[in-house]
Amino acid sequence: MWVCPNCQEAKLGYRRYCRRRVPLKPESACALSLLLSFFTTEMAETKRKTRDYNNRQGNKKRKVSSFKTLKSKSEKNNNDGERRKRTGPRLPNALRKELEHMGRTNRSNSDDEEIDSDDANDVYEYEEAIPEEESMKNRRFDPVENFEYELPKEFKDENVASEDDDDDSDGEDDGSREYQEGDEADGSRHARMLQDITGLPVEAFEGKKRKNDVVLSEAYPESEYNPSRDVLNGDGRISIQDLVDPLHGKSGFSKLRKSMHRMEKKSTPILAPLPKADREKLERKVTYEQSKKDITKWEPLVKRNREAPTLYFDEDVDLGFSTIGAIASEFEPRTEFEKKISALVNDNEVLEAHKKDGARLLELNKISVEDVKDHQDRLAKMRTLLFRHEMKAKRIKKIKSKTYHRLLKKDGLKAAVAEMEMNPEAAKELAMKQEFKRAEERLTLKHKNSSKWAKRILKRGLDVQDEGTRAAIAEQLHQHALLTRKMKSMKDNSSSDDSSDEDYGDDISDSSDQDRASKLLEKAKEKTLGVINEDGEVPKSGVLSLPFMVRGLQKRKETADEEAKLALEEYESSLKQLEGKRVIENVKKGTASGRRIFGAAKKHVEDSSNKIKVDNYYGSSDSEDNLEAKEDIDVDRSNNFKDEINFDPDLLREESEIGHNSFFKSLEDIVKDAGPKTTYEVAIFAADSWKKANNERSKCEKVADVNMKNSSKVDKPVLHDHDIEDVEDGSDSDSEGQMVDGILSSGTKPTYELPSQADLIRRAFAGDDVEDDFEKDKEQVLNEENPEPEKPVLVPGWGQWTNIQQKNGLPSWMLQEHDNARKKREEALKKRKDAHLKHVIISEKLDKKAEKLHTKTLPYPYTSKEVFEQSIRMPIGPEFNPVTTIGALNRPEVVKKAGVIIKPIKFEDVNPHERGEDHKRSGQKKKKSTGGSIKRNTNKIKVK
Amino acid sequence: MKVKVISRSTDEFTRERSQDLQIFARPFVGAMDGHIDAVSCMAKNPNHLKGIFSGSMDGDIRLWDLASRQTVCQFPGHQGAVRGLTASTDGRILVSCGTDCTVRLWNVPLATVIDSDCSSDNSAKPLAVYVWKNAFWAVDHQWNGDLFATAGAQVDIWDHNRSQPVNSFEWGKDTVISVRFNPGEPNVLATSASDRSITIYDLRMSSPARKLIMRTKTNSIAWNPMEPMNFTAANEDCSCYSYDARKLDEARCVHKDHVSAVMDIDYSPTGREFVTGSYDRTVRIFQFNAGHSREVYHTKRMQRVFCVKFSCDGSYVISGSDDTNLRIWKAKASEQLGVLLPRERKNQEYLEAVKNRYKHLPEVKRIVRHRHLPKPIYKASALRRIMTEAERKKEERRRAHSAPGSMPRVPLRKKRIIKEIE
C-alpha cells in the first residue's frame, strides 16, 4: 500500500496550522497528492488513496461525506455542494476567521487561474448563529477559555473503516468536496499536461478519468443492491425479462416462459416462515438423511473386510533401518566424550595412516622422550607408594597395644560386613569362614566353660565370684552360642550319613574274591575290638542320663560286649577255616552236586527270615545307632558262618525225615538255637555276589563236616529224591487218566457208524458252545451298561439298637428303592436297540473319552451339523499338509505387526460383486492370479 | 471280535524339555506412576507409538514413554481437573481442556527429543490458552483436519488458530459429557449428554443430525475406525451398545459383562475389538460383535478405571484409574513379546488355529473361557444374573397371564432405547 506522504504532510500541516495559525491551504496539499497520482495507473490505488485521505479528514474531526452518489449525480456535484454548504457544520468562530484569512491569502498569493476558479468554492459562507456554548445562554455550558479544539500530544491517526464516515456524515463538511473539486480541476490540468507530453487529444484520456470518477464515488462493491453503472443508465431495475432474454432460443426456453406466465397470473400469497423449532427439525432431518447416504458408501468396503478371512495391517510398512550398519552410519556424537572419540577416530591423519599398508601407523606410534619419562615417573611413584604402604603395615603389626588391635579388628569387621553386603563373593567366603568356626567350636567346645580357668571358677561356684568374672563367663557362653548358632549353610545335607554310606559302599563295591572275605573279616575283627575297648561314656544330660536308661544301656553294652567277644572268636575261626579251605577247595569242588542246592536254598530262606527280624529290630532302633548297626552287620556276617557250620548236619537229617514241609520248623529251631541273636543286614548279601562265594564255601564245609561226622547219612538225599519222583508219578498218572477219558469218549461204542453232517459239526464243536457264549457275553454287556441294582443290605452297626429293628428287617423305603431301580433297569433293557435282536449286541455305552470330543450343541457360526463336521474333519497341522497350504490354513484373522501404527480406514471403490477373499491376498498363488484385478481396482478410483 | 492296533502316542516317548516355552496368560506389562491424583483422561499420539498423554484430576498433564514407562514431559497450567485430552493427527499439537473453562494447546516435543533425554524433567508452555464460558467435559480432534470439538454446556467446534469456536451446537440444555469424531468420516461426530442421549452431528451441514435417548446415561462413545458407520456406546447400565449410525432404533449388539458403569471405551485400530474400563475396577476386551468379553484384566491395586486406550498398533491396552496409575496390558494375554523367528511365529499360528478350531469342545472351552475374577466382581455378576433371571421370569409370568399378543417381546437390543428424536 502506498501512502501519500503529502497527505500526511498536509494533515500535519493542517494541525500545525490550527495550532500556530500558520497559513497553509489544505487544498494545495490535495492538489499535490493528486499530482502524485499521476504515476499510478491502477484504479484501485487511487481509490484507496482517496479513501485514505478521507479517513484522515475524518480523524481531524472534519466531517467528511462519502460519496456513494451515482455518476449522474456526481456531475451535478458542484451545485449540490454549494447547496449543502449552506447547511454546513457549525464551525467555531475562530476557525471561520481563519478560513477567511486563508481565502484572502490564497487570493493574494496565488496567481494560477485554476485556483482562482476554485476560489468560489473555497470560501465558507457560514451563516449560522453563534453557537450556544459561546453565547453563554442560560449558563448551560461550562465557561471555557479556549474554544479551540486541541488534539492531544500522542494523537495518532488510524484507518477507520469508511462506513463509519458514512454513518455520521450526510454531507455537511467541505474538505472532501473541496478536494473533489480540486480533483476535477486537477483532472483537466492533468489532461492538459498529458496532452502536452504525449501529443494525443484530450479525449484519449477521457475514459480513464471518468472511470476514476465512478470508482471514487463507490463505497460498496458491485452487487444487486449496489448496481453498476450500466444498469443505472437504463431504468435502474432488472426485470425477469432481462434475465430470460439471453436464454432465448435455447432448449427449455418455452417451458420456462410458460411457467413464468403461470406464475405471473396467479400470485400466491407468501407463507409465513415456520417456527424455529420446526425449521431446525427439518434441517436436522435433511442433515441426517444426507449423512446417512454419505456413510452408506462405506458399506461394500466394510462388507468386504468383514467377509475376508484375514485382515492385513502389516502392508507397505517402512520400519526404518534394516541393518546394524545402517543404524551405525546414522550415529552422531552428542556428548563431549563421544565427540572427542569421534574426532580421534575420524582424524584425517589416522585415516590416512590406515589407508595404505599401515606403515604410517608405525610413525604415529613413536613416543616422545617426554612421554617415556612421564611414564617412568608415574611408575616410580607407584612403587614408592607401595613401599610406604608395606612399611606402614609392618609398623602396625608390631604394635602391641591391645586396645589398638581391638579397635583395628572392629574396623576390619565393619569393613568386612560392608563388603559382604556389596559383594556376593566375599559374602560366600565369609559364610565359609563362619561355618568353619562353628565346626571348630562344636568340636572343641572352647567356649563352653571347658578351659582351665572356667573350670576352676565353676568349681569354686559362680555365686562367690565377683561381677566381672560372672560377666566374663556369661560372655564366653554367649560367644559359644553365637559360634554354634546354625547359619544358613552352603550345603544342605549333613556329613554323618554320607560317611557311613561311603563305608558301606566300600564294603559292597569290591569283588567277590575270597581275599575280600578275609579282609572283611579282618576289618570286622578290628571293629569289634574297637567296640570292646571303647569306654562307655555315660551321657551327663538328657534322657539318656536317667538312671534306668543308664542301666539299660549298660546291660545292652554288656551283651554287646559278649557278642563281640564271641564274634571275635568266630572271626578267628573262620579266618582259619578260610585259610584251610583255600587248600581244600580244589579237591572238594567236584563234590558240589545239584542235591546240595537244597541246602543253599534253605540257607537263603533262613537268611531272609533273619533279615525280617533284623529289619524289625532296626525299625525300632534310633537313627543314632547307625554306627553301631554297621558294626553289628559285620559281626553278623561271621555269625552267619558259624550258624551254617553248626546247623547243616541237623538240617540234613531233618530234611530227610520230615520232608519239605518241615523246612521252616527246622529253620525256626535253628534260629532259636543260633545262640546270640544279633542284628543283621541281609541286603548286603542279597546285593552282593560275595554271597555266592559264601554259599559255595559253606557247602564245601558242609560236605566236609558231613563227611567227617557221620557218613552214614549220605543215602538220605536219595530217599528224598524218590519221594519227589513219587509225586511226579502221581501227576503223571492223573494226566494219563484224563487221556484215558478222552479215548473213552470216542471209543466206547463197539460198532462204528458214519455220523450225519450235523452230528459231525456238533461233535466237532462239542466243546465250544458259541451261542451260549454269545448270550453270556450279551448279558455281561447289558450288565455293564445297565448295571443291576445292588441288593439292599443293612450295614452292620447301623440302625440296630434294638432287636425289634432287626426283626423288622429292611426298611420299606429301601425295598421300594430297589424295586424301582430294578424296574428302571428292565425298561432300559427293553428300550435298547438290540432288545429284539437276538444275535446282535449294540453297545450303548457312553464313551466318556469320546464324549470330550463332541460338542453338545452346534457352535454359533455354523448352521448345519454336516458343515461343522466337515470343517473339523481335516487336520491343519504341518504334519498332515503340504507346506504351501499350511500358511493359508493357519493364518489368524488379523495379521498385524507389533510397532506398526494402523491408520483408520480409507475410502476405496470396491466392486460389490467381487468376492472378498479374491481382493486381498490369501495365499501366494491367489495373489498372483488376481494381481491384475487388484491393480485395476486400485487404479480405478482413489478417493481422499 | 477285538481288533488290536499298534498305537504310538507321542506323549509317551517324548518328554518335556527345558527349552519348551510355556506361555501363560500374563497380560500385565507394567504400571506408570507419577500423577498425584486420579487419571481422568488419556490421549494417544496418532503419529508416535510410544507416546501417550494423560491428564489427572489435579490439572496435571503428562506425556509418557511407553517403552521406558517414564514421564517424558509435563504440561502444567490447568487450574482444575483436566477432563479432555486429544492430539492432532500429525501428533504435533496436544489439546487439553478442563473444568477451569480453558482450552489449552500445547506443542508436543518431537520423538527424537523424547528418545534422547528422557531423564531430564522438562515442562512445556502452552501454545495458546482459550478461555471460554463454560467448563469442558471432553475434547476430541478431527482425523486429518484442523478442527477439534469440545463438549460442555454445548458442543463447540474449534480451529487451531482461532481463539473462539468456529461453530457451536446446542440441542437441548443438558451438559454434553463426551464427544468423538468419526475417524473414517472426519466430519461426523457423536456426543453423549447427561440427558441420557447420544447425538450425531454433521459438520458439512453444520447441524446436528439425530438424537437417541436411552434409559441410562452413556459415558463414552467410540467409533469403529474400520467401519465408519458403526459406533459403540459405553453405558451406565454396565453394558456397551454397538449402533449403526443409520439405524438408531436398534442396537446392533449388546456387550454385557461389566458389573458396574462402563466409564470409557476405545476401539482397537484393527476395528475387530474394543477395550472398556469400568467403575468395577476391571478392564475388559470385547470382540466387536461378541456379546461377552474375551478378556478381563484386573489387579489388586487397580481402582476405578476412568479411561482406557488401545495402542496405535493394536497390541497393547493402557488404562488409567483412580489410583493415579496408568497400566499397560497386553491386548492378547498370552502373546509372546519380542521378536519372533519365522518358525516360532508359524508354530504359534498353528497352535492358535488349533485352539480356535476346537474351542467348542467342552474341555477346551472350559479352559479358553475360564478367567479368575476378584471375589466382589464374581459375586456381583452372580447377583446380576439372578436379578435378570428374576426379571425375565416375572415377565414370562405376566405374559402368560395376559392376553396373547398384548405383551410383545422386546429384544434386549431395543429394550434400553427410549426414543429417537429427529
Side-chain angles (χ1 to χ4, degrees):
Chain A
M1 189 191 212
W2 188 77
V3 179
C4 165
N6 282 314
C7 289
Q8 200 81 13
E9 179 73 22
K11 187 175 66 188
L12 283 171
Y14 187 69
R15 209 184 299 156
R16 234 177 282 134
Y17 152 78
C18 286
R19 235 176 269 149
R20 297 191 216 144
R21 303 170 190 231
V22 175
L24 184 86
K25 235 175 70 183
E27 50 265 49
S28 68
C30 289
L32 270 173
S33 87
L34 279 168
L35 270 174
L36 275 163
S37 78
F38 234 63
F39 305 103
T40 63
T41 50
E42 288 294 322
M43 210 43 117
E45 243 168 17
T46 14
K47 190 175 163 189
R48 212 178 302 132
K49 254 182 280 167
T50 53
R51 199 174 287 161
D52 270 355
Y53 182 84
N54 285 352
N55 293 345
R56 265 172 227 126
Q57 299 290 331
N59 287 337
K60 278 183 255 168
K61 300 294 173 194
R62 301 176 72 197
K63 301 290 179 185
V64 177
S65 66
S66 84
F67 296 88
K68 61 168 188 175
T69 48
L70 307 172
K71 195 217 164 197
S72 54
K73 283 176 190 169
S74 75
E75 274 168 5
K76 300 182 261 173
N77 217 359
N78 281 343
N79 303 340
D80 266 3
E82 229 126 37
R83 218 178 297 141
R84 263 185 227 154
K85 255 181 254 157
R86 312 260 168 226
T87 59
R90 326 171 181 84
L91 280 182
N93 284 349
L95 197 61
R96 216 179 53 198
K97 277 176 202 160
E98 215 65 61
L99 284 169
E100 273 171 342
H101 174 70
M102 196 172 65
R104 239 176 287 132
T105 51
N106 250 349
R107 216 168 285 154
S108 61
N109 289 349
S110 65
D111 40 8
D112 265 347
E113 65 258 21
E114 281 88 14
I115 293 169
D116 278 350
S117 69
D118 285 341
D119 229 355
N121 301 332
D122 232 355
V123 180
Y124 290 93
E125 290 185 7
Y126 206 72
E127 294 165 350
E128 201 162 290
I130 300 161
E132 282 182 50
E133 55 265 41
E134 277 186 49
S135 64
M136 311 284 273
K137 261 184 208 165
N138 305 333
R139 295 209 165 260
R140 273 207 295 155
F141 299 95
D142 293 335
V144 180
E145 283 181 6
N146 187 12
F147 295 108
E148 219 172 315
Y149 179 72
E150 291 253 344
L151 284 166
K153 292 240 162 111
E154 15 347 290
F155 177 84
K156 267 192 184 165
D157 292 357
E158 212 179 338
N159 283 343
V160 181
S162 57
E163 283 92 334
D164 293 359
D165 305 346
D166 201 40
D167 287 344
D168 52 6
S169 68
D170 265 22
E172 51 279 86
D173 199 22
D174 44 352
S176 65
R177 197 149 307 124
E178 259 175 37
Y179 152 69
Q180 181 128 15
E181 283 146 11
D183 185 39
E184 227 162 302
D186 264 349
S188 61
R189 244 186 301 163
H190 179 203
R192 230 179 296 139
M193 196 180 70
L194 281 177
Q195 203 184 355
D196 285 347
I197 291 166
T198 58
L200 286 169
V202 187
E203 281 74 25
F205 305 100
E206 205 63 32
K208 198 175 163 190
K209 194 186 148 202
R210 279 209 180 163
K211 248 186 201 168
N212 233 350
D213 287 347
V214 170
V215 170
L216 257 177
S217 67
E218 235 165 21
Y220 285 107
E222 202 170 287
S223 74
E224 54 180 316
Y225 303 110
N226 192 23
S228 67
R229 175 172 44 163
D230 300 332
V231 175
L232 294 167
N233 281 342
D235 57 350
R237 294 201 61 170
I238 303 167
S239 66
I240 295 174
Q241 201 61 39
D242 292 338
L243 293 172
V244 172
D245 272 343
L247 292 174
H248 192 81
K250 285 193 177 163
S251 62
F253 174 67
S254 57
K255 207 175 160 188
L256 189 71
R257 208 177 48 186
K258 256 183 214 167
S259 63
M260 265 167 53
H261 278 301
R262 213 184 305 133
M263 276 162 68
E264 276 167 13
K265 264 180 202 166
K266 45 169 176 179
S267 54
T268 46
I270 300 161
L271 289 171
L274 281 169
K276 198 187 169 196
D278 289 355
R279 222 169 45 224
E280 278 182 345
K281 193 173 173 184
L282 276 178
E283 211 170 80
R284 288 195 299 254
K285 202 172 177 181
V286 170
T287 306
Y288 186 54
E289 293 301 322
Q290 198 64 34
S291 61
K292 218 163 137 179
K293 216 172 78 190
D294 222 50
I295 269 182
T296 311
K297 77 179 178 197
W298 294 96
E299 210 164 51
L301 200 60
V302 168
K303 189 162 173 280
R304 191 193 70 188
N305 282 346
R306 279 207 180 175
E307 281 172 355
T310 306
L311 277 182
Y312 296 91
F313 293 108
D314 60 344
E315 282 164 357
D316 51 40
V317 170
D318 180 26
L319 279 179
F321 303 113
S322 55
T323 61
I324 294 172
I327 295 166
S329 68
E330 285 289 309
F331 174 75
E332 266 185 30
R334 277 176 302 204
T335 63
E336 202 67 14
F337 177 68
E338 281 173 357
K339 273 174 193 161
K340 263 186 196 171
I341 289 281
S342 75
L344 282 175
V345 167
N346 298 325
D347 192 15
N348 271 338
E349 214 171 310
V350 176
L351 287 177
E352 199 73 354
H354 271 287
K355 243 172 208 172
K356 285 163 197 169
D357 57 346
R360 285 229 344 126
L361 274 177
L362 287 177
E363 285 173 31
L364 285 177
N365 278 348
K366 266 183 187 168
I367 309 162
S368 66
V369 180
E370 283 85 43
D371 281 350
V372 172
K373 199 160 188 220
D374 219 38
H375 185 65
Q376 274 178 347
D377 284 351
R378 217 179 307 136
L379 277 181
K381 195 182 173 189
M382 293 309 289
R383 234 175 276 135
T384 46
L385 277 176
L386 212 68
F387 177 69
R388 274 189 199 160
H389 187 258
E390 207 174 305
M391 293 308 288
K392 198 179 170 189
K394 265 185 189 168
R395 191 177 60 81
I396 284 168
K397 207 187 169 192
K398 260 188 197 169
I399 292 172
K400 281 178 182 168
S401 158
K402 274 185 180 173
T403 349
Y404 176 79
H405 276 292
R406 208 180 61 228
L407 288 174
L408 198 69
K409 211 174 166 187
K410 231 180 196 173
D411 280 356
L413 265 177
K414 258 183 204 170
V417 166
E419 200 191 14
M420 195 173 75
E421 275 168 4
M422 299 298 292
N423 179 2
E425 200 66 23
K428 215 172 182 180
E429 219 162 90
L430 202 82
M432 282 296 283
K433 224 180 241 174
Q434 204 88 347
E435 196 76 6
F436 182 78
K437 269 189 186 161
R438 178 167 172 260
E440 203 179 34
E441 175 64 27
R442 283 170 69 205
L443 204 70
T444 58
L445 298 179
K446 196 176 167 190
H447 292 97
K448 196 127 193 254
N449 300 340
S450 57
S451 67
K452 227 178 199 176
W453 168 77
K455 270 180 190 162
R456 199 170 131 255
I457 297 245
L458 286 178
K459 207 170 157 191
R460 291 170 79 182
L462 259 180
D463 303 339
V464 194
Q465 304 304 324
D466 63 331
E467 200 70 11
T469 322
R470 261 185 278 173
I473 290 272
E475 170 62 26
Q476 219 179 22
L477 282 174
H478 177 66
Q479 193 77 8
H480 174 78
L482 268 185
L483 281 170
T484 51
R485 194 177 58 197
K486 183 144 190 181
M487 308 296 282
K488 216 172 95 184
S489 61
M490 297 284 141
K491 51 177 187 176
D492 292 336
N493 45 1
S494 62
S495 59
S496 60
D497 294 337
D498 284 358
S499 63
S500 68
D501 280 348
E502 276 161 28
D503 284 0
Y504 209 54
D506 275 354
D507 286 349
I508 298 162
S509 61
D510 287 329
S511 61
S512 61
D513 280 353
Q514 288 183 344
D515 293 9
R516 288 269 324 119
S518 60
K519 259 184 209 168
L520 270 173
L521 283 174
E522 219 118 35
K523 217 175 180 179
K525 203 168 123 188
E526 274 172 27
K527 287 246 169 111
T528 10
L529 273 174
V531 169
I532 292 164
N533 294 338
E534 199 180 36
D535 278 350
E537 264 191 350
V538 182
K540 277 164 190 161
S541 65
V543 185
L544 291 178
S545 65
L546 293 171
F548 68 92
M549 285 299 279
V550 171
R551 246 178 284 138
L553 273 176
Q554 263 178 355
K555 217 179 240 176
R556 227 163 80 183
K557 205 172 154 285
E558 274 167 20
T559 52
D561 278 357
E562 272 180 22
E563 281 166 22
K565 270 171 199 164
L566 277 172
L568 208 64
E569 284 170 17
E570 281 153 21
Y571 288 147
E572 278 166 5
S573 65
S574 58
L575 265 175
K576 272 176 202 162
Q577 276 169 13
L578 257 180
E579 280 165 10
K581 199 191 72 186
R582 268 178 207 154
V583 182
I584 311 165
E585 203 176 37
N586 295 336
V587 188
K588 298 289 174 184
K589 239 178 192 174
T591 54
S593 69
R595 187 64 198 78
R596 304 295 175 209
I597 290 165
F598 275 104
K602 241 181 286 157
K603 223 183 65 51
H604 219 347
V605 173
E606 180 248 10
D607 281 354
S608 58
S609 68
N610 251 358
K611 177 178 131 194
I612 291 156
K613 277 190 181 165
V614 166
D615 279 350
N616 285 342
Y617 179 72
Y618 268 111
S620 60
S621 74
D622 289 347
S623 60
E624 277 177 18
D625 294 352
N626 271 350
L627 203 79
E628 247 181 308
K630 206 188 77 210
E631 283 158 8
D632 284 349
I633 290 160
D634 293 338
V635 171
D636 289 332
R637 268 178 220 152
S638 52
N639 277 352
N640 199 15
F641 299 152
K642 196 199 86 185
D643 287 352
E644 283 156 12
I645 294 155
N646 288 344
F647 68 64
D648 272 352
D650 299 1
L651 219 167
L652 278 170
R653 202 187 321 127
E654 275 169 10
E655 181 190 284
S656 55
E657 284 167 8
I658 306 158
H660 305 284
N661 294 343
S662 61
F663 264 11
F664 294 103
K665 213 186 254 178
S666 67
L667 273 178
E668 277 164 17
D669 289 348
I670 290 157
V671 170
K672 274 173 199 161
D673 294 344
K677 230 181 259 175
T678 50
T679 56
Y680 187 76
E681 185 69 82
V682 185
I684 298 168
F685 297 107
D688 217 340
S689 54
W690 183 67
K691 190 191 102 198
K692 274 180 198 164
N694 202 356
N695 284 347
E696 257 178 34
R697 196 180 347 112
S698 61
K699 267 179 251 154
C700 297
E701 280 155 15
K702 232 186 285 166
V703 171
D705 282 2
V706 168
N707 286 345
M708 276 189 286
K709 281 179 185 169
N710 38 359
S711 53
S712 63
K713 275 162 192 170
V714 179
D715 57 337
K716 295 292 177 192
V718 181
L719 215 162
H720 177 79
D721 267 0
H722 183 75
D723 273 358
I724 289 167
E725 268 172 39
D726 271 352
V727 173
E728 278 173 9
D729 277 355
S731 67
D732 279 356
S733 66
D734 273 353
S735 59
E736 271 169 36
Q738 278 169 1
M739 277 169 75
V740 168
D741 284 344
I743 293 159
L744 273 176
S745 63
S746 59
T748 40
K749 284 178 186 173
T751 51
Y752 186 76
E753 277 174 32
L754 259 179
S756 68
Q757 187 71 16
D759 244 15
L760 264 179
I761 287 173
R762 212 179 302 132
R763 262 183 227 163
F765 297 101
D768 39 296
D769 191 355
V770 184
E771 277 183 29
D772 221 30
D773 278 356
F774 181 78
E775 260 168 37
K776 270 180 196 164
D777 273 356
K778 190 165 180 178
E779 205 169 327
Q780 205 179 331
V781 168
L782 291 186
N783 278 337
E784 253 176 44
E785 291 178 13
N786 309 75
E788 226 171 324
E790 278 180 35
K791 274 184 183 170
V793 189
L794 268 184
V795 183
W798 284 96
Q800 290 182 347
W801 288 92
T802 58
N803 280 334
I804 302 161
Q805 276 172 330
Q806 233 165 0
K807 249 184 232 170
N808 283 347
L810 290 167
S812 60
W813 61 266
M814 256 186 193
L815 293 174
Q816 206 171 352
E817 213 172 49
H818 178 70
D819 262 8
N820 281 345
R822 218 180 52 215
K823 270 178 199 167
K824 220 184 210 174
R825 177 176 182 256
E826 272 163 16
E827 268 170 34
L829 289 181
K830 268 180 199 169
K831 269 183 194 169
R832 281 178 65 94
K833 280 176 190 169
D834 57 358
H836 303 293
L837 303 171
K838 213 177 170 187
H839 308 300
V840 182
I841 302 174
I842 300 175
S843 174
E844 286 183 354
K845 198 168 85 179
L846 267 177
D847 191 353
K848 277 184 184 168
K849 274 181 187 170
E851 192 67 7
K852 283 174 190 169
L853 303 174
H854 288 104
T855 58
K856 275 171 192 160
T857 54
L858 199 64
Y860 158 61
Y862 298 98
T863 45
S864 85
K865 196 179 160 193
E866 283 72 36
V867 174
F868 173 62
E869 277 172 0
Q870 194 70 32
S871 79
I872 60 169
R873 179 158 294 156
M874 284 301 293
I876 51 173
E879 288 92 348
F880 312 97
N881 290 297
V883 183
T884 47
T885 57
I886 286 172
L889 281 172
N890 297 341
R891 194 162 289 138
E893 278 178 15
V894 174
V895 174
K896 60 179 170 51
K897 229 179 237 174
V900 174
I901 294 175
I902 302 168
K903 294 255 158 43
I905 195 168
K906 275 200 181 122
F907 188 72
E908 53 181 309
D909 212 20
V910 178
N911 182 7
H913 303 297
E914 199 179 6
R915 294 252 351 242
E917 305 158 58
D918 292 351
H919 191 83
K920 289 255 178 182
R921 67 168 164 162
S922 65
Q924 293 291 328
K925 274 184 185 171
K926 267 188 182 169
K927 196 185 179 186
K928 266 176 202 164
S929 63
T930 58
S933 72
I934 292 169
K935 262 183 197 166
R936 235 184 300 121
N937 243 329
T938 48
N939 284 344
K940 249 196 287 180
I941 299 171
K942 203 79 178 178
V943 183
K944 286 188 182 176
Chain B
M1 196 172 83
K2 281 173 184 169
V3 179
K4 284 191 176 172
V5 181
I6 297 170
S7 76
R8 206 163 120 92
S9 162
T10 323
D11 297 333
E12 278 165 17
F13 61 88
T14 54
R15 66 192 165 90
E16 219 171 320
R17 293 171 305 166
S18 59
Q19 301 102 292
D20 285 348
L21 190 67
Q22 281 186 321
I23 307 158
F24 295 106
R26 291 228 178 94
F28 183 62
V29 177
M32 303 188 286
D33 65 329
H35 280 299
I36 49 171
D37 206 341
V39 182
S40 59
C41 53
M42 287 192 296
K44 48 191 177 189
N45 190 338
N47 206 26
H48 186 60
L49 202 60
K50 289 199 297 176
I52 189 152
F53 307 97
S54 67
S56 80
M57 291 292 193
D58 63 341
D60 186 21
I61 302 171
R62 277 163 186 263
L63 168 60
W64 301 89
D65 184 37
L66 286 184
S68 63
R69 282 177 239 150
Q70 275 172 341
T71 305
V72 173
C73 183
Q74 274 181 306
F75 304 92
H78 274 288
Q79 303 298 317
V82 184
R83 297 315 297 247
L85 272 179
T86 186
S88 63
T89 313
D90 58 0
R92 296 260 176 79
I93 288 171
L94 170 72
V95 184
S96 68
C97 67
T99 50
D100 58 350
C101 307
T102 58
V103 174
R104 283 161 201 264
L105 270 67
W106 314 79
N107 242 339
V108 177
L110 291 174
T112 51
V113 178
I114 294 172
D115 289 336
S116 62
D117 52 7
C118 50
S119 55
S120 65
D121 185 65
N122 44 1
S123 51
K125 290 241 163 56
L127 207 67
V129 181
Y130 304 144
V131 183
W132 198 233
K133 293 175 283 197
N134 51 277
F136 294 104
W137 279 87
V139 65
D140 195 36
H141 201 282
Q142 193 181 22
W143 184 264
N144 269 340
D146 249 3
L147 301 178
F148 60 90
T150 59
Q154 75 264 8
V155 179
D156 295 317
I157 312 295
W158 303 69
D159 194 272
H160 280 178
N161 307 316
R162 304 284 175 87
S163 62
Q164 290 192 332
V166 293
N167 209 341
S168 51
F169 304 112
E170 196 174 8
W171 184 0
K173 291 292 174 199
D174 286 280
T175 311
V176 183
I177 52 175
S178 80
V179 59
R180 277 299 170 99
F181 268 102
N182 189 346
E185 281 277 344
N187 287 316
V188 175
L189 65 147
T191 64
S192 70
S194 55
D195 61 346
R196 304 165 294 159
S197 69
I198 297 169
T199 317
I200 295 171
Y201 296 85
D202 197 328
L203 292 187
R204 286 166 297 196
M205 314 289 282
S206 66
S207 147
R210 181 95 7 149
K211 194 181 227 177
L212 171 77
I213 295 187
M214 296 183 69
R215 285 194 191 280
T216 39
K217 196 171 76 174
T218 296
N219 282 324
S220 180
I221 291 174
W223 289 90
N224 190 334
M226 286 294 151
E227 298 171 4
M229 66 279 272
N230 295 337
F231 66 88
T232 306
N235 208 294
E236 284 275 278
D237 69 350
C238 319
S239 307
C240 297
Y241 297 86
S242 285
Y243 284 103
D244 188 331
R246 299 165 299 171
K247 295 163 206 149
L248 290 172
D249 57 336
E250 184 185 34
R252 296 292 293 269
C253 188
V254 182
H255 312 275
K256 296 183 284 188
D257 258 358
H258 278 297
V259 293
S260 190
V262 189
M263 300 304 287
D264 197 12
I265 181 169
D266 191 40
Y267 257 97
S268 161
T270 61
R272 288 300 178 101
E273 52 198 16
F274 60 84
V275 60
T276 58
S278 164
Y279 205 69
D280 63 9
R281 305 189 180 92
T282 59
V283 172
R284 282 181 188 268
I285 298 176
F286 291 85
Q287 297 279 354
F288 77 113
N289 55 2
H292 290 274
S293 64
R294 169 172 77 80
E295 208 71 70
V296 55
Y297 294 159
H298 54 85
T299 62
K300 266 184 185 171
R301 297 180 182 199
M302 188 162 73
Q303 296 301 313
R304 320 284 185 198
V305 183
F306 288 141
C307 46
V308 283
K309 286 276 180 249
F310 238 105
S311 73
C312 288
D313 65 344
S315 47
Y316 293 96
V317 165
I318 300 120
S319 69
S321 45
D322 205 4
D323 55 319
T324 74
N325 278 346
L326 271 77
R327 288 190 169 74
I328 311 173
W329 311 84
K330 286 191 269 185
K332 270 184 75 184
S334 56
E335 194 180 31
Q336 189 186 344
L337 296 181
V339 181
L340 281 181
L341 297 174
R343 278 180 66 181
E344 262 181 305
R345 189 174 47 74
K346 266 182 199 158
N347 189 36
Q348 287 189 8
E349 270 176 15
Y350 169 57
L351 293 178
E352 274 303 310
V354 168
K355 255 195 281 176
N356 192 41
R357 179 178 232 207
Y358 297 110
K359 68 185 170 197
H360 308 295
L361 303 184
E363 280 191 325
V364 180
K365 195 162 136 194
R366 192 184 66 78
I367 294 167
V368 167
R369 291 188 55 196
H370 177 79
R371 295 285 178 277
H372 176 71
L373 276 179
K375 208 170 188 181
I377 291 166
Y378 183 76
K379 279 183 174 170
S381 55
L383 189 68
R384 281 186 69 77
R385 254 201 309 281
I386 291 167
M387 281 157 66
T388 47
E389 186 63 14
E391 244 167 59
R392 191 189 61 78
K393 269 184 191 162
K394 187 169 187 177
E395 210 189 315
E396 282 299 311
R397 288 194 191 116
R398 278 195 171 156
R399 187 168 287 127
H401 285 89
S402 53
S406 63
M407 278 183 73
R409 285 175 198 277
V410 183
L412 185 62
R413 290 174 294 157
K414 278 185 178 173
K415 220 179 220 170
R416 308 291 301 178
I417 298 169
I418 292 178
K419 62 178 172 182
E420 195 186 353
I421 302 174
E422 286 187 339

